[in-house]
């Protein structure tokens, strides 16, 4: 079945540091890939998505590229801010109805 | 355009009780999905409703049931609550069945004592 494996946390960074969160997936067919973010005490917000191979999703300075050959969708940001402190979830949706999520990576950015 | 709303925000129940959680989908969306997020884990798919019919179900026992109403709002019912049912329950709405871009509500935090 479908599954997502993402880098274990927690990750602690200083402001303006470079952030990478690794995500790999196993799926049948050609899934759509997503990054969701969950700020403390809130629900999930869609951060970015990519629907086919080599697509790059981007939003709020975050980027991720759909790599079919390595079945990966790593999240990157060049210069993090304290406000980026949150839990980040990689997810996929195959040719069915559900999202399959990774376990989440907690990111803390210190001023 | 209103987003996805859920009620109640928090709920405390005791083992063996029954609970109903509610979700209003985003305006224009006809599909609602429910997820369970245990502490420190990613959300797990419970089921999905499309136009008042169950469209798919995850690996949850039959005591987890749901409804979708003509206005596309939805309920999640859990009978015979167990301690392990303590979690954040998330509702997500989307337009259609393609599994793309689901928009999540803030969740209901259920604690079972």
């Amino acid at each position: 079945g479908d599954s997502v494996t993402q880098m274990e946390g927690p990750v602690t960074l200083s402001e303006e540091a470079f952030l990478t969160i690794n995500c790999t997936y196993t799926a049948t067919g050609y899934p759509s890939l997503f990054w969701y973010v969950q700020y403390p005490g809130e629900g999930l917000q869609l951060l970015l998505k990519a629907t086919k191979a080599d697509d790059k999703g981007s939003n709020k300075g975050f980027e991720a590229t759909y790599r079919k050959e390595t079945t990966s969708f790593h999240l990157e940001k060049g210069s993090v801010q304290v406000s980026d402190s949150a839990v980040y979830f990689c997810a996929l949706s195959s040719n069915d109805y559900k999202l399959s999520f990774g376990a989440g990576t907690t990111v803390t950015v210190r001023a | 355009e209103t987003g996805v709303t859920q009620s109640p925000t928090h709920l405390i129940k005791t083992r063996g009780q029954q609970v109903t959680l509610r979700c209003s989908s985003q305006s224009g969306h006809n599909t609602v999905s429910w997820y369970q997020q245990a502490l420190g884990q990613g959300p797990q798919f419970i089921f999905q409703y499309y136009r008042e019919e169950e469209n798919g179900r995850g690996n949850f026992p039959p005591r987890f049931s749901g409804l979708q109403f003509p206005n596309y709002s939805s309920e999640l019912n859990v009978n015979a609550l167990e301690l392990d049912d303590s979690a954040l329950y998330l509702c997500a709405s989307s337009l259609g069945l393609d599994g793309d871009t689901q928009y999540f509500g803030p969740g209901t935090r259920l604690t079972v004592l």
Side-chain angles (χ1 to χ4, degrees), chain A residues 32 34 36 38 41-46 49 51 89 93-104, chain B residues 33 35 37 40-45 48 55-57 88 90 97-106:
Chain A
S32 295
F34 306 82
Y36 280 85
Q38 189 171 38
E42 298 184 15
L44 294 172
Q45 298 179 24
L46 178 65
K49 68 177 183 180
T51 57
F89 292 93
S93 176
S94 283
N95 297 323
D96 61 9
Y97 37 80
K98 67 178 183 182
L99 286 166
S100 298
F101 288 87
Chain B
S33 304
Y35 294 82
Q37 186 180 12
Q41 298 182 24
Q44 298 293 316
F45 175 76
Q48 184 184 80
N55 182 56
R57 189 177 182 92
L88 181 67
L90 296 166
L97 289 174
D98 62 4
D100 210 354
T101 314
Q102 296 184 18
Y103 295 90
F104 284 81

Side-chain angles (χ1 to χ4, degrees), chain B residues 39-113:
Chain B
L39 197 61
Q41 298 182 24
Q44 298 293 316
F45 175 76
I46 302 175
F47 42 56
Q48 184 184 80
Y49 280 84
Y50 172 67
R51 293 186 176 180
E52 303 178 60
E53 298 287 332
E54 186 179 289
N55 182 56
R57 189 177 182 92
N59 189 26
F60 281 81
R63 59 190 185 83
F64 286 78
S65 63
L67 283 173
Q68 188 178 30
F69 300 99
N71 67 354
Y72 303 130
S73 66
S74 177
E75 288 183 353
L76 164 65
N77 299 290
V78 187
N79 293 321
L81 284 167
E82 301 177 359
L83 297 179
D84 285 348
D85 295 333
S86 295
L88 181 67
Y89 287 85
L90 296 166
C91 166
S93 76
S94 55
L95 181 61
L97 289 174
D98 62 4
D100 210 354
T101 314
Q102 296 184 18
Y103 295 90
F104 284 81
T108 294
R109 173 71 63 186
L110 172 64
T111 301
V112 181
L113 302 176

Side-chain angles (χ1 to χ4, degrees), chain A residues 2-104:
Chain A
D2 297 345
S3 66
V4 175
T5 303
Q6 64 181 99
M7 186 173 103
E8 290 187 16
V11 175
T12 303
L13 303 164
S14 297
E15 217 167 15
E16 299 183 5
F18 184 85
L19 170 68
T20 298
I21 304 175
N22 290 339
C23 171
T24 57
Y25 67 89
T26 302
T28 54
Y30 303 96
S32 295
L33 301 174
F34 306 82
W35 278 100
Y36 280 85
V37 59
Q38 189 171 38
Y39 297 103
E42 298 184 15
L44 294 172
Q45 298 179 24
L46 178 65
L47 182 58
L48 53 84
K49 68 177 183 180
T51 57
K52 61 182 187 296
D54 300 325
D55 270 0
K56 177 184 285 187
S58 62
N59 186 27
K60 299 182 182 180
F62 289 90
E63 293 183 340
T65 301
Y66 189 141
R67 300 289 188 198
K68 186 171 182 290
E69 63 276 13
T70 54
T71 61
S72 64
F73 192 55
H74 305 321
L75 182 69
E76 297 182 337
K77 185 173 185 180
S79 177
V80 293
Q81 305 299 313
V82 172
S83 58
D84 294 324
S85 297
V87 183
Y88 293 82
F89 292 93
C90 185
L92 71 82
S93 176
S94 283
N95 297 323
D96 61 9
Y97 37 80
K98 67 178 183 182
L99 286 166
S100 298
F101 288 87

